[in-house]
Amino acid sequence: KALMAAFGLEMDAESLIHAVQNVEQMLTTGGGWQDQVGAVLGGAKLTHSEASLPLRVVPQELPMSDAFVKELQDRLVLVFTGRPRLAKHLLQNVIRQWFGRAPEICETVRNLVQNANAAAEAIKAADLPAVGACLSRYWAQKKVMAPGCEPHPVAMLRERLEPGLHGFSLAGAGGGGFAVLITKEPHMHEWVQSALAECPGLEAAYIFQASVDRSGMTLVD
């Protein structure tokens, strides 16, 4: 978006989402379109695409009240695990498994779609425990799709925190990077920090204050 502006050009959100998807394919990263939908558009979205080419991404904005956004933000914790990961290799394994049409993989893909719809309904109902349950279910499904995407130190952290969490998942392809936590009680950053200190292999991890972006990507002069 900034590059387009630098050349005096404009691109609407839908075009930008598809342009990024095309660039990712040219770079052979194996990525899809979920990252740019989350970055370009604000708030919560449920996004679909038909099983046809050319791919057309159709995001649907989900309503969120101010009270629900505050409830979520007060319990949202973002942890950088200190473990970088290369998404390309993980994604290549996922594609291989999908092409193999193993029954477990096909069933998990169907369950991922059902879970996304359940998460959307939970958001619309302002049901934070249900949102957290969908987040954790998503992570369990992702581990079926990409075995090895949860390093042992991350699994140890998840197990230590589990009694106090509504939900947990690594962001993106997994293997490292950022962990997204929804805690049962508000403002639990110090509790998470103490758990990190007890997990060997996460010495480089640190915590971010996270919030819900409701406006989407904007350019600042």
Side-chain angles (χ1 to χ4, degrees), residues 3-96:
L3 283 173
M4 297 294 292
F7 284 94
L9 303 172
E10 293 186 2
M11 182 177 286
D12 61 26
E14 181 179 356
S15 300
L16 184 59
I17 288 167
H18 289 85
V20 172
Q21 186 261 334
N22 290 336
V23 170
E24 283 202 341
Q25 300 310 308
M26 287 188 284
L27 293 174
T28 70
T29 61
W33 41 253
Q34 66 277 10
D35 293 339
Q36 54 266 36
V37 170
V40 173
L41 304 176
K45 288 81 61 178
L46 179 64
T47 308
H48 297 89
S49 62
E50 296 294 333
S52 61
L53 294 175
L55 182 70
R56 181 169 180 265
V57 178
V58 183
Q60 172 193 349
E61 184 178 353
L62 303 176
M64 294 191 297
S65 67
D66 292 343
F68 178 66
V69 169
K70 184 180 187 309
E71 182 185 10
L72 173 57
Q73 289 186 156
D74 287 348
R75 292 162 178 80
L76 191 61
V77 182
L78 193 63
V79 180
F80 177 63
T81 64
R83 305 175 67 87
R85 51 91 178 144
L86 185 60
K88 180 177 179 178
H89 295 156
L90 286 167
L91 291 170
Q92 285 175 340
N93 289 334
V94 170
I95 296 300
R96 285 193 205 99

Coordinates of all heavy atoms in Angstrom, one line a residue, residues 3-96:
L3 N 4.0 1.4 -1.1 CA 4.7 1.5 -2.4 C 3.8 2.1 -3.5 O 4.2 2.9 -4.3 CB 5.1 0.1 -2.8 CG 6.4 -0.5 -2.1 CD1 6.6 -2.0 -2.5 CD2 7.6 0.3 -2.5
M4 N 2.5 1.7 -3.4 CA 1.6 2.2 -4.4 C 1.4 3.7 -4.2 O 1.5 4.5 -5.2 CB 0.2 1.6 -4.3 CG 0.2 0.1 -4.6 SD 0.5 -0.3 -6.3 CE -0.9 0.3 -7.1
A5 N 1.3 4.2 -3.0 CA 1.2 5.6 -2.7 C 2.5 6.4 -3.1 O 2.4 7.5 -3.6 CB 1.0 5.8 -1.2
A6 N 3.6 5.7 -2.9 CA 4.9 6.4 -3.3 C 5.0 6.7 -4.8 O 5.6 7.6 -5.3 CB 6.1 5.5 -2.9
F7 N 4.3 5.8 -5.6 CA 4.2 6.0 -7.0 C 3.0 6.8 -7.5 O 2.7 6.9 -8.7 CB 4.3 4.7 -7.8 CG 5.6 4.1 -7.8 CD1 6.0 3.2 -6.8 CD2 6.6 4.4 -8.7 CE1 7.3 2.6 -6.8 CE2 7.8 3.9 -8.8 CZ 8.2 3.0 -7.8
G8 N 2.3 7.4 -6.5 CA 1.1 8.2 -6.8 C -0.1 7.3 -7.3 O -1.0 7.8 -8.0
L9 N -0.1 6.1 -6.9 CA -1.2 5.2 -7.3 C -2.0 4.8 -6.1 O -1.6 4.8 -4.9 CB -0.6 3.9 -8.0 CG 0.3 4.2 -9.2 CD1 0.9 2.9 -9.6 CD2 -0.6 4.8 -10.3
E10 N -3.3 4.3 -6.4 CA -4.1 3.9 -5.3 C -4.6 2.4 -5.6 O -4.7 2.0 -6.7 CB -5.4 4.8 -5.2 CG -5.0 6.2 -4.7 CD -6.3 7.0 -4.5 OE1 -7.4 6.4 -4.7 OE2 -6.2 8.2 -4.1
M11 N -4.8 1.7 -4.5 CA -5.3 0.3 -4.6 C -6.3 0.1 -3.5 O -5.9 0.3 -2.3 CB -4.1 -0.7 -4.5 CG -4.5 -2.1 -4.7 SD -3.1 -3.3 -4.7 CE -2.4 -2.9 -6.3
D12 N -7.5 -0.4 -3.8 CA -8.4 -0.6 -2.7 C -8.1 -1.9 -2.0 O -7.2 -2.6 -2.4 CB -9.9 -0.7 -3.3 CG -10.1 -1.8 -4.3 OD1 -9.3 -2.8 -4.2 OD2 -11.0 -1.7 -5.1
A13 N -8.8 -2.1 -0.9 CA -8.4 -3.2 0.0 C -8.5 -4.6 -0.7 O -7.6 -5.4 -0.5 CB -9.3 -3.2 1.3
E14 N -9.6 -4.8 -1.5 CA -9.7 -6.1 -2.1 C -8.6 -6.3 -3.1 O -8.0 -7.4 -3.1 CB -11.1 -6.1 -2.9 CG -11.3 -7.5 -3.6 CD -12.6 -7.5 -4.3 OE1 -13.4 -6.5 -4.2 OE2 -12.9 -8.5 -5.0
S15 N -8.2 -5.3 -3.9 CA -7.1 -5.5 -4.8 C -5.8 -5.7 -4.1 O -5.0 -6.5 -4.6 CB -7.0 -4.2 -5.7 OG -8.2 -4.0 -6.4
L16 N -5.6 -5.0 -3.0 CA -4.3 -5.2 -2.2 C -4.2 -6.6 -1.7 O -3.1 -7.2 -1.8 CB -4.3 -4.2 -1.1 CG -3.0 -4.1 -0.3 CD1 -1.8 -3.8 -1.1 CD2 -3.2 -3.1 0.8
I17 N -5.3 -7.1 -1.2 CA -5.3 -8.5 -0.6 C -4.9 -9.5 -1.7 O -4.0 -10.4 -1.5 CB -6.7 -8.9 -0.1 CG1 -6.9 -8.1 1.3 CG2 -6.8 -10.4 0.2 CD1 -8.3 -8.1 1.8
H18 N -5.4 -9.3 -2.9 CA -5.1 -10.3 -4.0 C -3.8 -10.1 -4.6 O -3.1 -11.0 -5.0 CB -6.2 -10.2 -5.1 CG -7.5 -10.8 -4.7 ND1 -8.5 -10.0 -3.9 CD2 -8.1 -12.0 -4.8 CE1 -9.5 -10.8 -3.7 NE2 -9.3 -12.0 -4.2
A19 N -3.3 -8.8 -4.6 CA -1.9 -8.5 -5.1 C -0.9 -9.2 -4.2 O 0.1 -9.8 -4.7 CB -1.7 -7.0 -5.1
V20 N -1.1 -9.1 -2.9 CA -0.1 -9.7 -2.0 C -0.1 -11.2 -2.2 O 0.9 -11.9 -2.1 CB -0.5 -9.4 -0.5 CG1 0.4 -10.2 0.5 CG2 -0.3 -7.9 -0.3
Q21 N -1.3 -11.8 -2.3 CA -1.4 -13.2 -2.6 C -0.6 -13.7 -3.8 O 0.1 -14.7 -3.8 CB -2.9 -13.6 -2.7 CG -3.1 -15.2 -2.8 CD -3.3 -15.6 -4.2 OE1 -3.8 -14.8 -5.1 NE2 -3.0 -16.9 -4.5
N22 N -0.7 -12.9 -4.9 CA 0.0 -13.2 -6.1 C 1.5 -13.1 -5.9 O 2.3 -13.9 -6.4 CB -0.4 -12.2 -7.2 CG -1.8 -12.5 -7.7 OD1 -2.3 -13.6 -7.5 ND2 -2.5 -11.5 -8.2
V23 N 2.0 -12.1 -5.1 CA 3.4 -11.9 -4.9 C 3.9 -13.1 -4.1 O 5.0 -13.6 -4.3 CB 3.7 -10.6 -4.1 CG1 5.1 -10.5 -3.6 CG2 3.4 -9.4 -5.0
E24 N 3.1 -13.5 -3.1 CA 3.6 -14.7 -2.3 C 3.7 -15.9 -3.1 O 4.7 -16.7 -2.9 CB 2.6 -15.0 -1.2 CG 2.7 -14.0 0.0 CD 2.1 -14.6 1.3 OE1 1.3 -15.6 1.2 OE2 2.4 -14.1 2.4
Q25 N 2.9 -16.1 -4.1 CA 3.0 -17.3 -5.0 C 4.3 -17.1 -5.9 O 5.0 -18.1 -6.1 CB 1.8 -17.4 -5.9 CG 0.5 -17.6 -5.1 CD 0.6 -18.7 -4.1 OE1 1.0 -19.8 -4.4 NE2 0.2 -18.4 -2.8
M26 N 4.5 -15.9 -6.3 CA 5.8 -15.7 -7.1 C 7.0 -16.0 -6.3 O 8.0 -16.4 -6.8 CB 5.7 -14.3 -7.7 CG 4.7 -14.2 -8.9 SD 4.9 -12.6 -9.7 CE 4.1 -11.5 -8.5
L27 N 7.0 -15.7 -5.0 CA 8.1 -15.9 -4.2 C 8.2 -17.3 -3.7 O 9.2 -17.6 -3.0 CB 8.0 -14.9 -2.9 CG 8.2 -13.4 -3.2 CD1 7.9 -12.6 -1.9 CD2 9.5 -13.1 -3.7
T28 N 7.3 -18.1 -4.0 CA 7.2 -19.6 -3.7 C 7.2 -19.8 -2.2 O 7.8 -20.8 -1.7 CB 8.3 -20.4 -4.3 OG1 9.6 -20.0 -3.7 CG2 8.4 -20.2 -5.8
T29 N 6.6 -18.9 -1.4 CA 6.6 -19.0 0.0 C 5.5 -20.1 0.4 O 5.5 -20.6 1.5 CB 6.2 -17.7 0.7 OG1 4.9 -17.3 0.3 CG2 7.3 -16.7 0.4
G30 N 4.5 -20.3 -0.5 CA 3.5 -21.3 -0.2 C 2.4 -20.7 0.7 O 1.5 -21.4 1.1
G31 N 2.4 -19.4 0.9 CA 1.4 -18.7 1.7 C 0.1 -18.5 1.0 O 0.0 -18.7 -0.2
G32 N -0.9 -18.2 1.8 CA -2.3 -18.0 1.2 C -2.7 -16.5 1.3 O -1.9 -15.7 0.8
W33 N -3.8 -16.3 1.9 CA -4.3 -14.9 1.9 C -4.7 -14.4 3.3 O -5.2 -13.3 3.5 CB -5.5 -14.7 1.0 CG -6.5 -15.8 1.0 CD1 -6.6 -16.8 0.0 CD2 -7.5 -16.1 2.0 NE1 -7.7 -17.6 0.3 CE2 -8.2 -17.3 1.5 CE3 -7.8 -15.6 3.2 CZ2 -9.2 -17.8 2.3 CZ3 -8.8 -16.1 3.9 CH2 -9.5 -17.3 3.5
Q34 N -4.6 -15.3 4.3 CA -5.1 -14.9 5.6 C -4.3 -13.8 6.3 O -4.9 -13.0 7.0 CB -5.1 -16.2 6.6 CG -3.7 -16.7 7.0 CD -3.2 -17.7 5.9 OE1 -3.7 -17.8 4.8 NE2 -2.1 -18.4 6.3
D35 N -3.0 -13.7 6.1 CA -2.2 -12.7 6.7 C -2.6 -11.3 6.3 O -2.8 -10.4 7.1 CB -0.7 -12.9 6.5 CG -0.2 -14.2 7.1 OD1 -0.8 -14.6 8.1 OD2 0.9 -14.7 6.7
Q36 N -2.7 -11.1 4.9 CA -3.0 -9.8 4.4 C -4.5 -9.4 4.7 O -4.8 -8.2 4.9 CB -2.7 -9.7 3.0 CG -3.4 -10.7 2.1 CD -2.5 -11.9 1.8 OE1 -1.7 -12.3 2.7 NE2 -2.5 -12.4 0.6
V37 N -5.4 -10.3 4.8 CA -6.8 -10.0 5.2 C -6.7 -9.4 6.6 O -7.4 -8.4 6.9 CB -7.7 -11.2 5.2 CG1 -9.0 -10.9 5.8 CG2 -7.9 -11.6 3.7
G38 N -6.0 -10.1 7.5 CA -5.9 -9.6 8.9 C -5.2 -8.2 9.0 O -5.6 -7.4 9.9
A39 N -4.3 -8.0 8.1 CA -3.5 -6.7 8.2 C -4.2 -5.5 7.6 O -4.3 -4.4 8.1 CB -2.1 -6.9 7.5
V40 N -4.9 -5.8 6.4 CA -5.5 -4.7 5.7 C -6.8 -4.3 6.3 O -7.1 -3.1 6.3 CB -5.7 -5.2 4.2 CG1 -6.5 -4.1 3.4 CG2 -4.3 -5.4 3.5
L41 N -7.6 -5.2 6.7 CA -8.9 -4.9 7.2 C -8.9 -5.0 8.8 O -8.3 -5.9 9.4 CB -9.9 -5.9 6.7 CG -10.0 -6.1 5.2 CD1 -11.0 -7.2 4.8 CD2 -10.4 -4.7 4.6
G42 N -9.6 -4.0 9.4 CA -9.7 -4.0 10.8 C -10.8 -4.9 11.4 O -11.6 -5.5 10.7
G43 N -10.7 -5.1 12.7 CA -11.7 -5.9 13.4 C -11.6 -7.4 13.2 O -10.6 -7.9 12.7
A44 N -12.7 -8.1 13.4 CA -12.8 -9.6 13.3 C -13.4 -9.9 11.9 O -14.4 -9.2 11.5 CB -13.5 -10.2 14.4
K45 N -12.9 -10.9 11.2 CA -13.4 -11.2 9.9 C -13.6 -12.8 9.8 O -12.8 -13.5 10.4 CB -12.5 -10.8 8.8 CG -12.4 -9.4 8.5 CD -11.5 -8.6 9.5 CE -10.0 -9.1 9.4 NZ -9.2 -8.3 10.4
L46 N -14.6 -13.2 9.0 CA -14.7 -14.6 8.6 C -14.6 -14.5 7.1 O -15.3 -13.8 6.4 CB -16.1 -15.2 9.0 CG -16.3 -16.6 8.5 CD1 -15.3 -17.6 9.2 CD2 -17.8 -17.0 8.8
T47 N -13.5 -15.2 6.5 CA -13.2 -15.0 5.1 C -13.3 -16.4 4.4 O -12.9 -17.4 4.9 CB -11.8 -14.5 5.0 OG1 -11.6 -13.3 5.8 CG2 -11.4 -14.1 3.6
H48 N -13.9 -16.3 3.2 CA -14.1 -17.5 2.4 C -13.5 -17.3 1.0 O -13.2 -16.2 0.6 CB -15.6 -17.7 2.2 CG -16.4 -18.0 3.4 ND1 -17.0 -17.0 4.2 CD2 -16.7 -19.2 4.0 CE1 -17.6 -17.6 5.2 NE2 -17.5 -18.9 5.1
S49 N -13.2 -18.4 0.4 CA -12.9 -18.4 -1.0 C -13.4 -19.7 -1.6 O -13.3 -20.8 -1.0 CB -11.3 -18.3 -1.2 OG -10.7 -19.4 -0.7
E50 N -13.9 -19.6 -2.8 CA -14.4 -20.8 -3.5 C -13.2 -21.6 -4.0 O -12.1 -21.1 -4.2 CB -15.3 -20.4 -4.7 CG -16.6 -19.7 -4.3 CD -17.5 -20.5 -3.5 OE1 -17.5 -21.8 -3.7 OE2 -18.3 -20.0 -2.7
A51 N -13.5 -22.9 -4.2 CA -12.4 -23.8 -4.7 C -12.3 -23.7 -6.2 O -12.7 -24.7 -6.9 CB -12.7 -25.3 -4.2
S52 N -11.9 -22.6 -6.7 CA -11.8 -22.3 -8.1 C -10.8 -21.2 -8.3 O -10.4 -20.5 -7.4 CB -13.2 -21.9 -8.7 OG -13.6 -20.7 -8.1
L53 N -10.3 -21.2 -9.6 CA -9.4 -20.2 -10.0 C -10.0 -19.3 -11.1 O -10.8 -19.8 -11.9 CB -8.1 -20.8 -10.6 CG -7.3 -21.6 -9.5 CD1 -6.1 -22.3 -10.2 CD2 -6.7 -20.7 -8.4
P54 N -9.7 -18.0 -11.1 CA -8.8 -17.3 -10.2 C -9.4 -17.2 -8.8 O -10.6 -17.0 -8.6 CB -8.6 -15.9 -10.8 CG -9.8 -15.7 -11.6 CD -10.2 -17.1 -12.1
L55 N -8.5 -17.2 -7.8 CA -9.0 -17.2 -6.4 C -9.6 -15.8 -6.1 O -9.0 -14.8 -6.4 CB -7.8 -17.5 -5.5 CG -8.1 -17.5 -4.0 CD1 -8.9 -18.7 -3.6 CD2 -6.8 -17.5 -3.2
R56 N -10.7 -15.8 -5.5 CA -11.4 -14.6 -5.0 C -11.6 -14.7 -3.5 O -12.4 -15.6 -3.1 CB -12.7 -14.3 -5.8 CG -13.3 -13.0 -5.3 CD -14.4 -12.6 -6.3 NE -15.0 -11.3 -5.8 CZ -16.1 -11.3 -5.0 NH1 -16.8 -12.4 -4.7 NH2 -16.6 -10.1 -4.7
V57 N -11.1 -13.8 -2.8 CA -11.2 -13.8 -1.3 C -12.4 -12.9 -0.9 O -12.4 -11.8 -1.4 CB -9.9 -13.3 -0.7 CG1 -10.0 -13.3 0.8 CG2 -8.7 -14.2 -1.1
V58 N -13.2 -13.4 -0.1 CA -14.4 -12.7 0.3 C -14.5 -12.6 1.8 O -14.9 -13.5 2.5 CB -15.7 -13.3 -0.2 CG1 -16.9 -12.5 0.2 CG2 -15.6 -13.6 -1.7
P59 N -14.0 -11.5 2.4 CA -14.1 -11.3 3.9 C -15.4 -10.8 4.3 O -16.1 -10.0 3.6 CB -13.0 -10.2 4.1 CG -12.3 -9.9 2.8 CD -13.3 -10.4 1.8
Q60 N -15.9 -11.3 5.5 CA -17.1 -10.8 6.1 C -16.8 -10.2 7.5 O -16.2 -10.9 8.3 CB -18.1 -12.0 6.2 CG -19.3 -11.7 7.0 CD -20.1 -12.9 7.4 OE1 -19.8 -14.0 6.9 NE2 -21.1 -12.7 8.3
E61 N -17.1 -9.0 7.7 CA -16.8 -8.3 8.9 C -17.8 -8.8 10.0 O -19.0 -9.0 9.8 CB -16.9 -6.8 8.8 CG -16.5 -6.1 10.1 CD -16.6 -4.6 9.9 OE1 -16.8 -4.1 8.8 OE2 -16.4 -3.8 10.9
L62 N -17.2 -9.1 11.2 CA -18.0 -9.6 12.3 C -18.2 -8.5 13.3 O -17.3 -7.8 13.7 CB -17.3 -10.8 13.0 CG -17.0 -12.0 12.1 CD1 -16.2 -13.0 12.8 CD2 -18.2 -12.6 11.5
P63 N -19.4 -8.3 13.8 CA -19.7 -7.2 14.7 C -19.1 -7.5 16.1 O -19.2 -8.7 16.6 CB -21.2 -7.2 14.8 CG -21.7 -8.5 14.4 CD -20.7 -9.0 13.4
M64 N -18.5 -6.5 16.7 CA -17.9 -6.6 18.0 C -18.3 -5.4 18.8 O -18.0 -4.3 18.4 CB -16.4 -6.8 18.0 CG -15.9 -8.1 17.4 SD -14.1 -8.3 17.8 CE -13.5 -6.9 16.9
S65 N -18.9 -5.5 20.0 CA -19.2 -4.4 20.8 C -18.0 -3.8 21.5 O -17.0 -4.6 21.6 CB -20.3 -4.8 21.9 OG -19.7 -5.7 22.8
D66 N -18.0 -2.6 21.9 CA -16.9 -2.0 22.7 C -16.6 -2.8 23.9 O -15.5 -3.0 24.3 CB -17.2 -0.5 23.0 CG -17.3 0.4 21.8 OD1 -16.8 0.0 20.7 OD2 -17.9 1.5 21.9
A67 N -17.7 -3.3 24.6 CA -17.5 -4.0 25.8 C -16.8 -5.3 25.6 O -15.9 -5.7 26.4 CB -18.8 -4.3 26.5
F68 N -17.1 -6.0 24.5 CA -16.4 -7.3 24.2 C -15.0 -7.0 23.8 O -14.1 -7.8 24.2 CB -17.2 -8.0 23.1 CG -16.5 -9.3 22.7 CD1 -16.5 -10.4 23.5 CD2 -15.9 -9.4 21.4 CE1 -15.8 -11.6 23.2 CE2 -15.3 -10.6 21.0 CZ -15.2 -11.7 21.9
V69 N -14.7 -6.0 23.0 CA -13.4 -5.7 22.6 C -12.5 -5.4 23.9 O -11.4 -5.9 24.0 CB -13.3 -4.5 21.7 CG1 -11.9 -4.0 21.4 CG2 -13.9 -4.9 20.3
K70 N -13.0 -4.7 24.8 CA -12.3 -4.4 26.0 C -12.1 -5.7 26.8 O -11.0 -5.9 27.4 CB -13.0 -3.4 26.9 CG -12.3 -3.0 28.2 CD -13.0 -2.0 29.0 CE -12.1 -1.5 30.2 NZ -11.5 -2.6 31.0
E71 N -13.1 -6.6 26.9 CA -12.9 -7.8 27.6 C -11.8 -8.7 27.0 O -11.0 -9.3 27.7 CB -14.2 -8.6 27.6 CG -14.2 -9.9 28.4 CD -15.5 -10.7 28.2 OE1 -16.3 -10.4 27.4 OE2 -15.6 -11.7 28.9
L72 N -11.8 -8.7 25.7 CA -10.8 -9.4 25.0 C -9.4 -8.8 25.2 O -8.4 -9.5 25.5 CB -11.1 -9.5 23.5 CG -10.1 -10.1 22.5 CD1 -9.7 -11.5 23.0 CD2 -10.6 -10.1 21.1
Q73 N -9.3 -7.5 25.0 CA -8.0 -6.9 25.1 C -7.4 -7.0 26.5 O -6.2 -7.2 26.6 CB -8.1 -5.4 24.8 CG -8.3 -5.1 23.3 CD -8.3 -3.6 22.9 OE1 -8.1 -3.3 21.8 NE2 -8.7 -2.8 23.9
D74 N -8.2 -7.0 27.5 CA -7.7 -7.1 28.9 C -7.1 -8.5 29.1 O -6.4 -8.7 30.1 CB -8.8 -6.9 29.9 CG -9.2 -5.4 30.0 OD1 -8.4 -4.6 29.4 OD2 -10.2 -5.1 30.6
R75 N -7.5 -9.5 28.3 CA -7.1 -10.9 28.5 C -6.2 -11.4 27.4 O -5.8 -12.6 27.4 CB -8.3 -11.8 28.6 CG -9.1 -11.5 29.9 CD -10.5 -12.0 29.9 NE -11.2 -11.8 31.1 CZ -11.8 -10.6 31.5 NH1 -11.7 -9.6 30.6 NH2 -12.4 -10.5 32.6
L76 N -5.8 -10.5 26.5 CA -5.0 -10.9 25.3 C -3.5 -10.7 25.6 O -3.1 -9.6 26.0 CB -5.4 -10.0 24.1 CG -4.9 -10.4 22.7 CD1 -5.4 -11.8 22.3 CD2 -5.3 -9.4 21.7
V77 N -2.8 -11.8 25.5 CA -1.3 -11.7 25.7 C -0.6 -12.3 24.5 O -1.0 -13.3 24.0 CB -0.9 -12.5 27.0 CG1 0.6 -12.4 27.2 CG2 -1.7 -12.0 28.2
L78 N 0.4 -11.5 24.0 CA 1.2 -11.9 22.9 C 2.6 -12.2 23.3 O 3.2 -11.4 24.0 CB 1.2 -10.8 21.8 CG 1.7 -11.2 20.4 CD1 0.8 -12.3 19.8 CD2 1.7 -9.9 19.5
V79 N 3.1 -13.4 23.1 CA 4.4 -13.8 23.5 C 5.3 -14.2 22.3 O 4.9 -15.1 21.5 CB 4.3 -15.1 24.5 CG1 5.7 -15.5 24.9 CG2 3.4 -14.8 25.6
F80 N 6.4 -13.5 22.2 CA 7.4 -13.9 21.2 C 8.2 -15.0 21.8 O 8.8 -14.8 22.9 CB 8.3 -12.8 20.7 CG 9.3 -13.2 19.8 CD1 9.0 -13.7 18.5 CD2 10.7 -13.1 20.1 CE1 9.9 -14.1 17.6 CE2 11.6 -13.6 19.2 CZ 11.3 -14.1 18.0
T81 N 8.2 -16.2 21.2 CA 8.8 -17.4 21.8 C 10.4 -17.3 21.8 O 11.0 -18.1 22.4 CB 8.4 -18.6 21.1 OG1 8.8 -18.6 19.7 CG2 6.8 -18.8 21.2
G82 N 10.9 -16.3 21.0 CA 12.3 -16.3 20.9 C 12.9 -17.3 19.9 O 14.1 -17.4 19.8
R83 N 12.0 -18.0 19.3 CA 12.4 -19.1 18.3 C 11.9 -18.8 17.0 O 10.7 -18.9 16.7 CB 11.8 -20.4 18.8 CG 12.1 -20.8 20.2 CD 11.4 -22.1 20.7 NE 11.9 -23.2 20.0 CZ 12.9 -24.0 20.3 NH1 13.6 -23.6 21.4 NH2 13.3 -25.0 19.6
P84 N 12.7 -18.3 16.1 CA 12.3 -17.9 14.7 C 11.9 -19.2 14.0 O 12.3 -20.3 14.3 CB 13.5 -17.3 14.1 CG 14.7 -17.8 14.9 CD 14.2 -18.0 16.3
R85 N 11.0 -19.1 13.0 CA 10.6 -20.2 12.2 C 10.5 -19.8 10.8 O 10.2 -18.7 10.4 CB 9.3 -20.8 12.8 CG 8.1 -19.8 12.9 CD 7.3 -19.7 11.7 NE 6.2 -18.8 11.8 CZ 5.8 -18.0 10.9 NH1 6.4 -18.0 9.7 NH2 4.7 -17.2 11.0
L86 N 10.7 -20.8 9.9 CA 10.6 -20.6 8.5 C 9.3 -21.3 8.0 O 9.2 -22.5 7.9 CB 11.8 -21.2 7.7 CG 11.9 -20.9 6.2 CD1 11.9 -19.4 5.9 CD2 13.1 -21.6 5.6
A87 N 8.3 -20.4 7.7 CA 7.0 -21.0 7.4 C 7.0 -21.8 6.1 O 6.2 -22.8 6.0 CB 6.0 -19.8 7.2
K88 N 7.9 -21.5 5.1 CA 7.9 -22.2 3.9 C 8.0 -23.7 4.0 O 7.3 -24.5 3.4 CB 9.0 -21.6 3.0 CG 9.1 -22.3 1.6 CD 10.1 -21.7 0.7 CE 10.2 -22.4 -0.6 NZ 11.2 -21.7 -1.5
H89 N 8.9 -24.1 4.8 CA 9.2 -25.6 5.0 C 8.0 -26.3 5.7 O 7.6 -27.4 5.3 CB 10.4 -25.8 5.8 CG 11.7 -25.3 5.1 ND1 12.8 -25.0 5.8 CD2 11.9 -25.1 3.8 CE1 13.7 -24.6 5.0 NE2 13.2 -24.6 3.8
L90 N 7.4 -25.6 6.7 CA 6.2 -26.2 7.3 C 5.0 -26.3 6.3 O 4.3 -27.3 6.3 CB 5.8 -25.3 8.5 CG 6.7 -25.5 9.8 CD1 6.4 -24.3 10.7 CD2 6.5 -26.8 10.4
L91 N 4.9 -25.2 5.5 CA 3.7 -25.2 4.6 C 3.9 -26.2 3.5 O 2.9 -26.8 3.0 CB 3.6 -23.8 4.0 CG 3.1 -22.7 5.0 CD1 3.2 -21.4 4.4 CD2 1.7 -23.0 5.4
Q92 N 5.2 -26.5 3.1 CA 5.4 -27.5 2.0 C 5.0 -28.9 2.5 O 4.4 -29.6 1.8 CB 6.9 -27.5 1.6 CG 7.3 -26.3 0.8 CD 8.8 -26.3 0.5 OE1 9.6 -26.9 1.2 NE2 9.2 -25.5 -0.5
N93 N 5.2 -29.2 3.8 CA 4.8 -30.4 4.3 C 3.3 -30.5 4.4 O 2.7 -31.6 4.1 CB 5.4 -30.6 5.7 CG 6.9 -30.9 5.7 OD1 7.4 -31.4 4.7 ND2 7.6 -30.5 6.8
V94 N 2.6 -29.4 4.7 CA 1.1 -29.4 4.7 C 0.6 -29.7 3.4 O -0.3 -30.6 3.2 CB 0.6 -28.1 5.3 CG1 -0.9 -28.0 5.1 CG2 1.0 -27.9 6.7
I95 N 1.2 -29.1 2.3 CA 0.7 -29.3 1.0 C 0.9 -30.8 0.5 O 0.0 -31.4 -0.1 CB 1.4 -28.4 0.0 CG1 1.0 -26.9 0.3 CG2 1.0 -28.7 -1.5 CD1 -0.4 -26.6 0.2
R96 N 2.0 -31.3 0.9 CA 2.3 -32.7 0.5 C 1.3 -33.7 1.2 O 0.7 -34.6 0.5 CB 3.7 -33.1 1.0 CG 4.8 -32.6 0.2 CD 6.1 -33.3 0.5 NE 7.3 -32.4 0.2 CZ 7.9 -31.7 1.0 NH1 7.6 -31.7 2.3 NH2 8.9 -30.9 0.6

